[in-house]
Amino acid sequence: MSQQVCLVGRCKFVRFEEHADYNTMKRIGYILTEEKLSLDVCKTAILKAARHKHKRISVAKILSRLDEKAALLREIILEEKYKPAEYKVCHIIDHPSQKERLLHKPKFFPDQCIHHVIILLLHKELLKRFDPYVIASIPKRGAHYGHRALRKWLERDRTGTKYCLKCDIKKCYDNIRPPVVVAAVARFVKDKKFLRLIAKVAYSLPSLPLGNYTSGWFENLVLCPLDRALRANKYVVRYLRYVDDFIALGPNKRKLRQLIDYISGILAKLGLRLKENWQVFKVDERGIDIIGYRFYRNFILLRKRNLLSLMRCIRAYKKHPTAKLAKSLLSRIGMCKWFNSHNFWKKYCLDLNFRKMKRRAYT
C-alpha cells in the first residue's frame, strides 16, 4: 500500500492507494485443458451448484451419481458439446425496494454446474482485476465488508470524505449485452476454447440474466474500467461500489460534480447510462444512504424502508407467533448490531423471548 499526498487548492489530504495492481497484465491461456479441468474441479462445481438445493429431486439424483456426472460434465466442456437450455422465467418482487424483477433460472445440470466451473477456473484472475471496495457477488466482500470500510473512512478521514458523489447505473443488468461481456473476458484471456464457452453462456440471453451465478462476476468485470478510472482520479479519495450503486468521496464539491460527464462517457462505451438522480452533498449535513444503512460521522442508522420492514415483522410475530414468522424475525434482528439501535431495542425488542423464538423456529 503506497501513500500519495495530493493538493487541492489549499486543502491537503492523504490518499491511500489500496487497489490491486491491474495495469499491463498479460493475457492468460491454457485454461480449458485436461489437467486444469480435472474430475475434482467438476465435482466441486456440482457440489457448489447444489448448495441449499439438496432436497430437490433433480439435484438429489445428480448427487447420488456424483462421479459419473462429474465425468460427463468434464466431457461436455472439453469436447464443446454444451448448448444452453431454455431458462425458467419467474416474476419476483424484491421486498426491500418493492420492485418487480424478472428472474431467469437455468437448468441445474449441466448449465448451473458449468457456470460454477467457469468461475472456479477464473476467479483468481478476476479477483486480481477487481477493485478492493467493489462489494457483492464476491466471496468475503458482502454488505458488512463495505459497512466496516465506510465507517472507518468517515471516522478517520474527515477531510478526504467531506463531500460525497452518489450515483446509480440505470437498469445495469438489462443493458449489459453479450458482446461487451465476451470482450471484457477477452481482454485478459486468450484461450479460444474457453472464450467460446463464455460466449455460449453470455449469448444465452440478449442481456445479463438475473439468476446466473456468473452474472454478478461478469457485471463486476464489465464495470472494471469505471472502477479504475474513479480510483485513479486525484479528486476521489475514497470509492465504493455495491452492484450498480457507487459513491465517490473527496474534499472538493465542484470537482466531484465535474466527474459526471466523465463517468457518463465511460458508461456510454459499455452501453450503459447513469441515472438522472445523482447527487453531490456534504457528508456532515446528511448521511450516506448505501448497502441498507445511513452512514453519519458518529453514528449509523438503518435505512427507513428496512426499519419499517423490521418493525412490521416484530408486530406480526407478537400478534401471531408462528414458526415462519420466528424464522423471518431471527434473520432480520441481526441487523440491530450493525446500527445504533439502543432506543429501538428498548422500545421494540426488550419483551421478546429469543430462546422461545428459536425453539419455535427450529423444532
Side-chain angles (χ1 to χ4, degrees), residues 26 39 54 78 84 95 130 150-151 227 237 272 284 297 310 326 328 347 359-360:
K26 289 184 179 179
L39 281 173
H54 292 81
L78 287 175
H95 289 292
F130 291 165
L150 192 49
R151 184 180 62 186
D227 302 331
V237 183
L272 300 171
D284 288 337
R297 290 282 181 202
L310 178 58
S328 178
K347 188 173 182 180
R359 284 199 299 269
R360 184 172 282 122

Side-chain angles (χ1 to χ4, degrees), residues 74-88:
R74 185 169 182 264
E75 181 187 333
I76 289 169
I77 296 171
L78 287 175
E79 296 185 11
E80 301 188 60
K81 296 178 180 177
Y82 172 59
K83 290 182 181 178
E86 285 189 18
Y87 289 92
K88 183 181 177 182

Side-chain angles (χ1 to χ4, degrees), residues 11-257:
C11 176
K12 183 179 180 180
F13 62 92
V14 177
R15 179 177 176 196
F16 291 96
E17 298 291 350
E18 298 171 285
H19 56 86
D21 180 18
Y22 36 46
N23 296 322
T24 64
M25 285 190 177
K26 289 184 179 179
R27 293 172 74 208
I28 56 172
Y30 302 105
I31 298 173
L32 278 186
T33 62
E34 292 187 359
E35 289 133 20
K36 288 189 178 178
L37 188 63
S38 61
L39 281 173
D40 288 337
V41 170
C42 293
K43 284 180 189 176
T44 305
I46 293 171
L47 292 171
K48 278 180 173 285
R51 194 180 175 197
H52 304 308
K53 301 170 191 168
H54 292 81
K55 293 182 180 179
R56 295 183 192 175
I57 295 171
S58 59
V59 176
K61 285 180 180 177
I62 300 292
L63 293 176
S64 65
R65 298 184 294 164
L66 184 59
D67 292 339
E68 181 188 335
K69 291 297 180 181
L72 178 59
L73 182 66
R74 185 169 182 264
E75 181 187 333
I76 289 169
I77 296 171
L78 287 175
E79 296 185 11
E80 301 188 60
K81 296 178 180 177
Y82 172 59
K83 290 182 181 178
E86 285 189 18
Y87 289 92
K88 183 181 177 182
V89 182
C90 301
H91 291 268
I92 61 167
I93 301 294
D94 184 14
H95 289 292
S97 60
Q98 291 299 308
K99 291 179 182 175
E100 186 178 349
R101 301 195 188 276
L102 202 62
L103 190 68
H104 292 85
K105 293 184 179 180
K107 191 177 176 182
F108 176 75
F109 190 89
D111 295 66
Q112 289 185 35
C113 301
I114 285 175
H115 298 166
H116 280 267
V117 167
I118 288 170
I119 301 304
L120 279 172
L121 294 174
L122 209 58
H123 80 281
K124 287 183 181 178
E125 293 297 327
L126 288 171
L127 290 175
K128 286 179 188 176
R129 286 154 176 83
F130 291 165
D131 188 270
Y133 293 110
V134 167
I135 58 177
S137 305
I138 303 172
K140 299 182 182 178
R141 288 204 214 165
H144 294 141
Y145 175 88
H147 183 289
R148 283 187 286 265
L150 192 49
R151 184 180 62 186
K152 181 181 73 175
W153 296 344
L154 293 177
E155 287 176 359
R156 299 181 185 179
D157 186 8
R158 294 187 70 89
T159 307
T161 60
K162 187 176 181 181
Y163 294 99
C164 174
L165 167 64
K166 187 174 185 296
C167 301
D168 190 4
I169 299 169
K170 194 168 188 177
K171 295 186 177 179
C172 185
Y173 273 59
D174 293 339
N175 291 323
I176 294 178
R177 302 300 176 198
V180 178
V181 174
V182 177
V185 178
R187 283 192 200 103
F188 68 96
V189 172
K190 60 183 177 183
D191 186 331
K192 290 183 179 178
K193 186 187 281 190
F194 188 71
L195 287 173
R196 285 195 291 270
L197 180 63
I198 294 287
K200 286 179 181 178
V201 174
Y203 280 90
S204 60
L205 275 182
S207 61
L208 210 57
L210 189 65
N212 274 9
Y213 175 64
T214 53
S215 292
W217 293 85
F218 288 162
E219 183 254 357
N220 284 328
L221 182 62
V222 166
L223 292 177
C224 270
L226 173 69
D227 302 331
R228 294 178 199 174
L230 289 177
R231 175 67 68 181
N233 189 284
K234 65 181 180 179
Y235 298 110
V236 176
V237 183
R238 307 290 181 183
Y239 171 73
L240 182 140
R241 180 168 62 79
Y242 179 70
V243 193
D244 57 355
D245 292 340
F246 60 93
I247 57 168
L249 302 169
N252 192 310
K253 183 177 183 179
R254 182 170 57 86
K255 295 295 182 182
L256 288 178
R257 190 181 291 274

Side-chain angles (χ1 to χ4, degrees), residues 314 318 333 336 344-352 354:
I314 291 170
K318 286 179 179 178
I333 208 76
C336 289
F344 176 84
W345 191 268
K346 277 175 63 178
K347 188 173 182 180
Y348 294 100
C349 304
L350 275 181
D351 56 343
L352 291 172
F354 287 97

Side-chain angles (χ1 to χ4, degrees), residues 320-338:
H320 303 287
T322 62
K324 185 179 178 181
L325 283 172
K327 286 181 182 178
S328 178
L329 182 54
L330 285 169
S331 69
R332 293 165 188 258
I333 208 76
M335 291 187 292
C336 289
K337 71 177 182 179
W338 293 96

